[in-house]
Amino acid sequence: MYTVFIVDDESKVINGLIKRIQWDRLDACVIGYAQNGKEAEEKILELKPNIVITDIFMPGQTGLQLMENLKSKCDAVYIIFSAYSEFEYAREAMQMDVVDYLIKPMNISEIEETIKKASQKYRYQKASHIQNEEEYQLQNILNGNEITTENNILYQYESFFVIQLKLTNISASVDPLAAKVRTWTVMEGQVFLLKGKNRLTLVIAQKDAYMISNARKKIIHNLEQLHSEFENSFFWGLGCIVDSPMMLPKSLLAAEEMQEYCAFSLSQITENSKSSMLSTSVSDQIKDAENLLLIVEETTEVQNILQQIKENIQLQSNSAGIIKAQTIDFVYSLRKQFEMSYEDISVAFTDWNSQIICPLLSSPNLDYMFDIICNFIFQLREYSASHHDGYSQRYIARIKQYILDNLSYNINLNDLATEINRNPSYISYIFKHETGQNLFDFITQERMKRAKHLLKNTDLKILDVARECGYEDQSYFSQVFKKYTGSTAGSFRKGEV
């Protein structure tokens, strides 16, 4: 079904188009409308319609300006529906490759014919993104369509896995990334590439199944270098290894879940993440320590983290003054961390300056400073342990309520942290600690509950159910639904479970 957005400064025009056009017969539906150009731009970027019907003159910006602003950000096709018939407007619109320039008033049947033309143009536009037969076959395989072995580009290979890259900036181009990836090679194998609007899908195929682990290590190494080279401008997810082209949708689903989790937590997760702390800068290590010091379970782990920070400060070979400044800055950061998770520091310390800051400033050496810091941390830990239950139950309830209220929207950890007014790492930790469940898994679980309810109790199309549950991509929603329920959405709705 094609999605349509209407822009006109007259509400009666919008209402007339919505009510009088036979949208079902056109295999289309209206997903939004706006009465000024600026509002329209914001909504179109959010809703990503396939077809936009717009007037020329409106408050905020003209329809032509709207099209110009959206041309690199949205792959919709456009219909002009205006009372102005001046040649200059029509010529400019045609230069911008609109489907048609309709003059008000217009017969409804003519508008419907134009919408049919727009649908065809959009379909052609999407198809033209598939550059060759190889990409067409790959897309079919990843979509789970049945394939024959005859002329199948993957038939000669024995082992596979998928990687999904997604840009953090939706207006950026994937072309520079794709150009780099196309230079990658795999011994006795091949890297296949599919380009989307703001994502790349890599299919790594290996002729010898015993060599797939080596191929995987090499590709991960390449990805880490690429991630650094492009200044963390994308998140990527790694799919599982499979032994048949027909199993590639499973690997793709795993890659998409990992990539989505990375975007959700706003940090890149890799197979080597556990050892990453050893190679980070001092400031990065301090940041990691701030997240860990108040929530790690073992006393020895706290001491190990402190020792690592102290050694890294020493390695910088700075003056005593700079070392003191770095260390006191770290203590202030710990205070902020504590206050984000609990409350004002005065509940644990009657005089912050005399108990902590003055002793640090007068310390004769770094070891002495870290002894003070260690005592400070254990006092904070003791306070947090004694007040843990009351705080955690309150936060868990607020976290769950926020998630349930926002299931149809994109939820990420930073937005949730801002809403709850707590540190993102603390929220992840406390949720897992108190519920025994990963926060990301809880969100998916609740989305699947909503999906099952909507499928059983409404007549919404599956695409609309997916969107109500926070999934813009119906194919991805269907894969997640089947993984969690063991049934396709269609079969579940029919009761074939």
Side-chain angles (χ1 to χ4, degrees), residues 205-218:
Q206 180 63 247
K207 288 185 177 179
D208 188 341
Y210 291 102
M211 296 179 66
I212 194 69
S213 294
N214 289 334
R216 195 174 176 88
K217 289 177 183 176
K218 180 178 180 180

Side-chain angles (χ1 to χ4, degrees), residues 72-276:
S72 64
K73 304 173 186 177
C74 177
D75 58 3
V77 296
Y78 297 87
I79 299 170
I80 298 291
F81 185 62
S82 176
Y84 294 89
S85 59
E86 281 86 346
F87 172 74
E88 281 302 315
Y89 297 136
R91 186 180 69 168
E92 188 174 347
M94 292 308 160
Q95 287 175 343
M96 298 178 76
D97 198 28
V98 299
V99 176
D100 209 340
Y101 191 111
L102 304 178
I103 307 301
K104 301 176 184 175
M106 175 63 63
N107 186 294
I108 286 295
S109 63
E110 292 181 82
I111 299 175
E112 290 178 344
E113 283 302 313
T114 303
I115 292 171
K116 287 180 184 178
K117 286 166 56 179
S119 301
Q120 292 170 354
K121 180 170 182 175
Y122 178 79
R123 187 165 60 247
Y124 173 79
Q125 196 167 279
K126 293 293 286 184
S128 67
H129 291 167
I130 299 176
Q131 297 178 352
N132 52 44
E133 180 65 21
E134 177 183 289
E135 290 189 359
Y136 177 77
Q137 287 190 37
L138 281 174
Q139 192 64 67
N140 260 343
I141 292 167
L142 292 174
N143 286 343
N145 298 332
E146 289 189 14
I147 57 173
T148 60
T149 57
E150 184 180 359
N151 297 324
N152 177 6
I153 57 173
L154 297 179
Y155 183 61
Q156 59 183 305
Y157 300 98
E158 292 185 355
S159 200
F160 315 84
F161 63 92
V162 176
I163 291 171
Q164 178 111 119
L165 285 71
K166 186 174 183 181
L167 297 178
T168 55
N169 181 356
I170 61 171
S171 63
S173 170
V174 298
D175 290 339
L177 280 175
K180 288 284 186 179
V181 172
R182 291 190 195 281
T183 67
W184 294 358
T185 59
V186 176
M187 186 179 295
E188 296 297 314
Q190 189 169 344
V191 179
F192 298 95
L193 178 64
L194 278 173
K195 284 201 309 181
K197 184 179 177 184
N198 64 342
R199 68 180 64 198
L200 293 177
T201 302
L202 283 60
V203 176
I204 291 81
Q206 180 63 247
K207 288 185 177 179
D208 188 341
Y210 291 102
M211 296 179 66
I212 194 69
S213 294
N214 289 334
R216 195 174 176 88
K217 289 177 183 176
K218 180 178 180 180
I219 294 296
I220 290 172
H221 175 71
N222 289 347
L223 281 165
E224 290 171 343
Q225 287 188 324
L226 195 66
H227 198 241
S228 176
E229 180 181 346
F230 281 81
E231 299 180 341
N232 307 332
S233 62
F234 63 91
F235 290 111
W236 57 271
L238 183 66
C240 54
I241 295 173
V242 294
D243 58 9
S244 163
M246 296 305 295
M247 295 297 291
L248 277 170
K250 175 183 176 182
S251 185
L252 175 62
L253 177 61
E256 287 177 331
E257 285 185 331
M258 179 175 170
Q259 178 270 310
E260 188 176 295
Y261 179 76
C262 292
F264 164 76
S265 63
L266 300 179
S267 60
Q268 181 63 58
I269 310 300
T270 72
E271 292 189 334
N272 302 317
S273 289
K274 293 182 179 179
S275 61
S276 63

